[in-house]
Amino acid sequence: MNATAKPDGKTITVTVEGTNKTATLPIISGTVGPDVVDIRKLYDQLGVFTYDPGFGATASCESKITYIDGDAGVLLYRGYPIEQLAEQSSFLEVAHLLLWGDLPNATQKKDFELGIMRHTMLHEQIRRFFDGFRRDAHPMAIMCGVVGALSAFYHDSLNINDPEQRRICAFRLIAKLPTIAAWAYKYSIGQPFIYPRNDLGYVDNFLYMMNAVPAEDYKVNPVLSRAMERWFILHADHEQNASSSTVRLAGSSGANPFACIAAGIASLWGPAHGGANEAALKMLADIGHVDNVPQFLHDVKDKNNHTRLMGFGHRVYKNYDPRAKILQGSCHEVLAEMGIKDDPMLDLAVELEKIALSDPYFVSRKLYPNVDFYSGIILKAMGLPTSMFTVLFAVARTVGWISQWKELIEDPSQRIGRPRQIYTGAPARDYVPLDARG
Ligand code: CMC
């Protein structure tokens, strides 16, 4: 990647009060979005660092992949609105877009799909890793372990400086994650692993590996397949979120890419991030009935009670998450297909959203439903257990992670990620022998 964000002549001048020390720092503009101050020379000029816990105000890299306008509720992959992609595109087409920057033409699309689907099988010895886990292991724990283990198997895709090896590594990750995810599920329910069928295509093959059993024929339901395809597209990338930043930070040391993706999976697992889809459904089950919503919201607003309204709020969106809107629509389609006329959980979610969106606590903090609010209702209606929700997120997000990793490795300005700190611990002091300690 050639860095294209350039100073456009604008500067900002910072003066340390009470001194005559001044620094003039360049302002850099991207294609769209707020300008950023280039603080790289701040320490040289003023001897101070910046402090930004949680990186709420810090651009960690230049990227051309995904853009979010959090105030307007806009999400673009390589410039294309998420609504158009969710409606008209396929997951592998979106994967091509995120990885290579453009939608494929017909030949590129065929070659890409063929290339990915050729890599769906796992090395047979990887099967044995599953047996090492307890039957009741959380499937995200299995994902962290088995995806990390891929680093020991594919030595011909480990030279990160070779573009062809980077390509094969990306293909392997995108292709093998559904197989690992489906086997993690099969392992947890004690059913035999189902080997991939490349003729089915990406999403159908995943549903087949999840749901088929050797004793019966299995036909993929096209309505559910389309809903899953859309779900995958919506989860494919989301710029510099915690897990993508984790993948970039791990990758910045030149680490093994399979291990970097395992690090991303670990980061995604937390309930503040991808684990929120599982947590949101558990929350709805705990609330149980709309009559209990006022008490639940009372608990959420109580600062001494660590309850949060899961699936609500976002670091970047201060408006409705566009993905949540699409998923809310998708819920109705899936429930209808599954013959569920009334889903008390969907009714509860809609009511909870309505009450929260008119409550001053949520209004004043600009807290809106995010992607995780409705996603679990769809997956539950499809028959998936809650413990698999974040696993599905990991399958879809692997495309984004590997695209972000590839962009990082190809960025000439890339350096190892190494934040600074404000040290507030003890100043230097001498060792005290044991018999002299109080
Ligand atoms: N329920 C209740 N209060 C909330 C919530 C929530 N879900 N989210 C934020 N707040 C409050 C928070 O207490 C704080 O209030 P105050 O100013 O009085 O201290 C204010 O809103 C700002 O919150 P914050 O924690 O400083 O915001 P953040 O940007 O650090 O956190 C978040 C973003 C997504 C972690 C947070 O909104 C949250 O915990 N949401 C619930 C978990 C969730 O749904 N996560 C999925 C995020 S989207 C998909 C993904 O990333 O995978």
Side-chain angles (χ1 to χ4, degrees), residues 246-273:
T246 302
V247 170
R248 277 185 179 261
L249 197 54
S252 76
S253 71
N256 178 291
F258 296 101
C260 293
I261 300 300
I265 293 173
S267 173
L268 184 76
W269 193 358
H273 192 7

mmCIF file of all heavy atoms in Angstrom, residues 246-273:
data_model
loop_
_atom_site.group_PDB
_atom_site.id
_atom_site.type_symbol
_atom_site.label_atom_id
_atom_site.label_comp_id
_atom_site.label_asym_id
_atom_site.label_seq_id
_atom_site.Cartn_x
_atom_site.Cartn_y
_atom_site.Cartn_z
ATOM 1 N N THR A 246 -6.075 -5.639 17.489
ATOM 2 C CA THR A 246 -5.266 -6.704 18.087
ATOM 3 C C THR A 246 -4.488 -7.451 17.003
ATOM 4 O O THR A 246 -3.290 -7.719 17.149
ATOM 5 C CB THR A 246 -6.169 -7.697 18.857
ATOM 6 O OG1 THR A 246 -6.888 -6.977 19.852
ATOM 7 C CG2 THR A 246 -5.370 -8.807 19.501
ATOM 8 N N VAL A 247 -5.193 -7.773 15.909
ATOM 9 C CA VAL A 247 -4.523 -8.470 14.797
ATOM 10 C C VAL A 247 -3.393 -7.596 14.249
ATOM 11 O O VAL A 247 -2.279 -8.068 14.010
ATOM 12 C CB VAL A 247 -5.546 -8.815 13.679
ATOM 13 C CG1 VAL A 247 -4.837 -9.310 12.429
ATOM 14 C CG2 VAL A 247 -6.544 -9.852 14.175
ATOM 15 N N ARG A 248 -3.659 -6.306 14.089
ATOM 16 C CA ARG A 248 -2.623 -5.402 13.567
ATOM 17 C C ARG A 248 -1.447 -5.310 14.539
ATOM 18 O O ARG A 248 -0.290 -5.318 14.119
ATOM 19 C CB ARG A 248 -3.205 -4.010 13.318
ATOM 20 C CG ARG A 248 -3.923 -3.864 11.979
ATOM 21 C CD ARG A 248 -4.350 -2.413 11.789
ATOM 22 N NE ARG A 248 -5.017 -2.174 10.524
ATOM 23 C CZ ARG A 248 -4.445 -1.660 9.425
ATOM 24 N NH1 ARG A 248 -3.163 -1.336 9.426
ATOM 25 N NH2 ARG A 248 -5.141 -1.460 8.324
ATOM 26 N N LEU A 249 -1.748 -5.190 15.824
ATOM 27 C CA LEU A 249 -0.667 -5.037 16.806
ATOM 28 C C LEU A 249 0.196 -6.302 16.844
ATOM 29 O O LEU A 249 1.428 -6.233 16.829
ATOM 30 C CB LEU A 249 -1.261 -4.740 18.188
ATOM 31 C CG LEU A 249 -0.317 -4.172 19.241
ATOM 32 C CD1 LEU A 249 0.387 -2.925 18.747
ATOM 33 C CD2 LEU A 249 -1.082 -3.849 20.518
ATOM 34 N N ALA A 250 -0.475 -7.458 16.850
ATOM 35 C CA ALA A 250 0.282 -8.728 16.836
ATOM 36 C C ALA A 250 1.083 -8.824 15.534
ATOM 37 O O ALA A 250 2.267 -9.187 15.545
ATOM 38 C CB ALA A 250 -0.677 -9.907 16.974
ATOM 39 N N GLY A 251 0.448 -8.449 14.429
ATOM 40 C CA GLY A 251 1.116 -8.537 13.122
ATOM 41 C C GLY A 251 2.277 -7.570 12.986
ATOM 42 O O GLY A 251 3.218 -7.819 12.230
ATOM 43 N N SER A 252 2.231 -6.477 13.737
ATOM 44 C CA SER A 252 3.265 -5.438 13.576
ATOM 45 C C SER A 252 4.646 -5.925 14.019
ATOM 46 O O SER A 252 5.657 -5.344 13.659
ATOM 47 C CB SER A 252 2.879 -4.168 14.335
ATOM 48 O OG SER A 252 3.084 -4.331 15.727
ATOM 49 N N SER A 253 4.681 -7.013 14.794
ATOM 50 C CA SER A 253 5.988 -7.546 15.190
ATOM 51 C C SER A 253 6.492 -8.557 14.172
ATOM 52 O O SER A 253 7.567 -9.133 14.344
ATOM 53 C CB SER A 253 5.878 -8.211 16.571
ATOM 54 O OG SER A 253 5.145 -9.414 16.458
ATOM 55 N N GLY A 254 5.708 -8.790 13.111
ATOM 56 C CA GLY A 254 6.091 -9.781 12.101
ATOM 57 C C GLY A 254 5.666 -11.188 12.500
ATOM 58 O O GLY A 254 6.166 -12.163 11.956
ATOM 59 N N ALA A 255 4.721 -11.284 13.449
ATOM 60 C CA ALA A 255 4.309 -12.599 13.975
ATOM 61 C C ALA A 255 3.588 -13.432 12.912
ATOM 62 O O ALA A 255 3.093 -12.899 11.910
ATOM 63 C CB ALA A 255 3.384 -12.401 15.177
ATOM 64 N N ASN A 256 3.523 -14.711 13.170
ATOM 65 C CA ASN A 256 2.824 -15.656 12.297
ATOM 66 C C ASN A 256 1.364 -15.224 12.098
ATOM 67 O O ASN A 256 0.647 -14.986 13.066
ATOM 68 C CB ASN A 256 2.886 -17.032 12.982
ATOM 69 C CG ASN A 256 2.144 -18.086 12.202
ATOM 70 O OD1 ASN A 256 0.926 -18.051 12.120
ATOM 71 N ND2 ASN A 256 2.883 -19.013 11.641
ATOM 72 N N PRO A 257 0.912 -15.120 10.821
ATOM 73 C CA PRO A 257 -0.442 -14.602 10.574
ATOM 74 C C PRO A 257 -1.569 -15.451 11.159
ATOM 75 O O PRO A 257 -2.587 -14.908 11.581
ATOM 76 C CB PRO A 257 -0.536 -14.554 9.040
ATOM 77 C CG PRO A 257 0.623 -15.329 8.530
ATOM 78 C CD PRO A 257 1.666 -15.354 9.583
ATOM 79 N N PHE A 258 -1.398 -16.780 11.191
ATOM 80 C CA PHE A 258 -2.449 -17.609 11.786
ATOM 81 C C PHE A 258 -2.560 -17.298 13.287
ATOM 82 O O PHE A 258 -3.650 -17.225 13.845
ATOM 83 C CB PHE A 258 -2.150 -19.106 11.584
ATOM 84 C CG PHE A 258 -2.157 -19.529 10.144
ATOM 85 C CD1 PHE A 258 -0.966 -19.705 9.445
ATOM 86 C CD2 PHE A 258 -3.353 -19.730 9.472
ATOM 87 C CE1 PHE A 258 -0.972 -20.094 8.116
ATOM 88 C CE2 PHE A 258 -3.361 -20.122 8.129
ATOM 89 C CZ PHE A 258 -2.160 -20.301 7.458
ATOM 90 N N ALA A 259 -1.399 -17.100 13.915
ATOM 91 C CA ALA A 259 -1.393 -16.759 15.343
ATOM 92 C C ALA A 259 -2.008 -15.373 15.560
ATOM 93 O O ALA A 259 -2.698 -15.141 16.563
ATOM 94 C CB ALA A 259 0.032 -16.807 15.891
ATOM 95 N N CYS A 260 -1.770 -14.449 14.612
ATOM 96 C CA CYS A 260 -2.366 -13.098 14.736
ATOM 97 C C CYS A 260 -3.892 -13.188 14.705
ATOM 98 O O CYS A 260 -4.581 -12.482 15.444
ATOM 99 C CB CYS A 260 -1.909 -12.193 13.588
ATOM 100 S SG CYS A 260 -0.162 -11.810 13.632
ATOM 101 N N ILE A 261 -4.416 -14.057 13.837
ATOM 102 C CA ILE A 261 -5.885 -14.192 13.745
ATOM 103 C C ILE A 261 -6.416 -14.832 15.033
ATOM 104 O O ILE A 261 -7.480 -14.460 15.527
ATOM 105 C CB ILE A 261 -6.288 -15.007 12.492
ATOM 106 C CG1 ILE A 261 -5.792 -14.315 11.212
ATOM 107 C CG2 ILE A 261 -7.810 -15.229 12.437
ATOM 108 C CD1 ILE A 261 -6.293 -12.909 10.951
ATOM 109 N N ALA A 262 -5.648 -15.778 15.602
ATOM 110 C CA ALA A 262 -6.069 -16.377 16.885
ATOM 111 C C ALA A 262 -6.135 -15.288 17.956
ATOM 112 O O ALA A 262 -7.043 -15.285 18.799
ATOM 113 C CB ALA A 262 -5.106 -17.491 17.292
ATOM 114 N N ALA A 263 -5.195 -14.336 17.913
ATOM 115 C CA ALA A 263 -5.218 -13.210 18.863
ATOM 116 C C ALA A 263 -6.482 -12.377 18.647
ATOM 117 O O ALA A 263 -7.131 -11.932 19.605
ATOM 118 C CB ALA A 263 -3.968 -12.349 18.699
ATOM 119 N N GLY A 264 -6.847 -12.174 17.384
ATOM 120 C CA GLY A 264 -8.076 -11.429 17.060
ATOM 121 C C GLY A 264 -9.301 -12.138 17.617
ATOM 122 O O GLY A 264 -10.221 -11.502 18.150
ATOM 123 N N ILE A 265 -9.316 -13.462 17.511
ATOM 124 C CA ILE A 265 -10.463 -14.244 18.022
ATOM 125 C C ILE A 265 -10.578 -14.054 19.538
ATOM 126 O O ILE A 265 -11.676 -13.860 20.072
ATOM 127 C CB ILE A 265 -10.301 -15.741 17.651
ATOM 128 C CG1 ILE A 265 -10.404 -15.909 16.141
ATOM 129 C CG2 ILE A 265 -11.351 -16.595 18.356
ATOM 130 C CD1 ILE A 265 -10.093 -17.313 15.628
ATOM 131 N N ALA A 266 -9.434 -14.069 20.225
ATOM 132 C CA ALA A 266 -9.444 -13.875 21.685
ATOM 133 C C ALA A 266 -10.031 -12.508 22.031
ATOM 134 O O ALA A 266 -10.864 -12.379 22.935
ATOM 135 C CB ALA A 266 -8.023 -14.011 22.235
ATOM 136 N N SER A 267 -9.628 -11.493 21.285
ATOM 137 C CA SER A 267 -10.110 -10.136 21.553
ATOM 138 C C SER A 267 -11.612 -10.011 21.262
ATOM 139 O O SER A 267 -12.350 -9.325 21.974
ATOM 140 C CB SER A 267 -9.303 -9.152 20.699
ATOM 141 O OG SER A 267 -9.823 -7.874 20.797
ATOM 142 N N LEU A 268 -12.048 -10.690 20.216
ATOM 143 C CA LEU A 268 -13.472 -10.624 19.826
ATOM 144 C C LEU A 268 -14.376 -11.233 20.884
ATOM 145 O O LEU A 268 -15.532 -10.844 21.038
ATOM 146 C CB LEU A 268 -13.672 -11.372 18.498
ATOM 147 C CG LEU A 268 -15.078 -11.328 17.906
ATOM 148 C CD1 LEU A 268 -15.349 -9.973 17.261
ATOM 149 C CD2 LEU A 268 -15.298 -12.437 16.878
ATOM 150 N N TRP A 269 -13.858 -12.198 21.615
ATOM 151 C CA TRP A 269 -14.661 -13.017 22.534
ATOM 152 C C TRP A 269 -15.334 -12.183 23.637
ATOM 153 O O TRP A 269 -16.427 -12.506 24.119
ATOM 154 C CB TRP A 269 -13.740 -14.089 23.142
ATOM 155 C CG TRP A 269 -14.405 -15.201 23.862
ATOM 156 C CD1 TRP A 269 -15.750 -15.379 24.085
ATOM 157 C CD2 TRP A 269 -13.740 -16.319 24.461
ATOM 158 N NE1 TRP A 269 -15.949 -16.539 24.786
ATOM 159 C CE2 TRP A 269 -14.732 -17.146 25.033
ATOM 160 C CE3 TRP A 269 -12.401 -16.718 24.580
ATOM 161 C CZ2 TRP A 269 -14.436 -18.318 25.700
ATOM 162 C CZ3 TRP A 269 -12.109 -17.890 25.247
ATOM 163 C CH2 TRP A 269 -13.106 -18.675 25.797
ATOM 164 N N GLY A 270 -14.712 -11.101 24.044
ATOM 165 C CA GLY A 270 -15.216 -10.331 25.189
ATOM 166 C C GLY A 270 -16.606 -9.761 24.970
ATOM 167 O O GLY A 270 -16.976 -9.419 23.847
ATOM 168 N N PRO A 271 -17.406 -9.647 26.055
ATOM 169 C CA PRO A 271 -18.787 -9.174 25.914
ATOM 170 C C PRO A 271 -18.917 -7.714 25.476
ATOM 171 O O PRO A 271 -19.975 -7.314 24.989
ATOM 172 C CB PRO A 271 -19.380 -9.368 27.321
ATOM 173 C CG PRO A 271 -18.215 -9.471 28.244
ATOM 174 C CD PRO A 271 -17.082 -10.032 27.437
ATOM 175 N N ALA A 272 -17.836 -6.923 25.618
ATOM 176 C CA ALA A 272 -17.929 -5.540 25.120
ATOM 177 C C ALA A 272 -17.777 -5.499 23.605
ATOM 178 O O ALA A 272 -18.074 -4.495 22.959
ATOM 179 C CB ALA A 272 -16.846 -4.665 25.771
ATOM 180 N N HIS A 273 -17.313 -6.609 23.017
ATOM 181 C CA HIS A 273 -17.062 -6.668 21.562
ATOM 182 C C HIS A 273 -17.956 -7.762 20.973
ATOM 183 O O HIS A 273 -19.168 -7.722 21.143
ATOM 184 C CB HIS A 273 -15.559 -6.916 21.381
ATOM 185 C CG HIS A 273 -15.022 -6.747 19.993
ATOM 186 N ND1 HIS A 273 -15.741 -6.258 18.937
ATOM 187 C CD2 HIS A 273 -13.769 -7.012 19.482
ATOM 188 C CE1 HIS A 273 -14.981 -6.229 17.850
ATOM 189 N NE2 HIS A 273 -13.782 -6.690 18.153
#
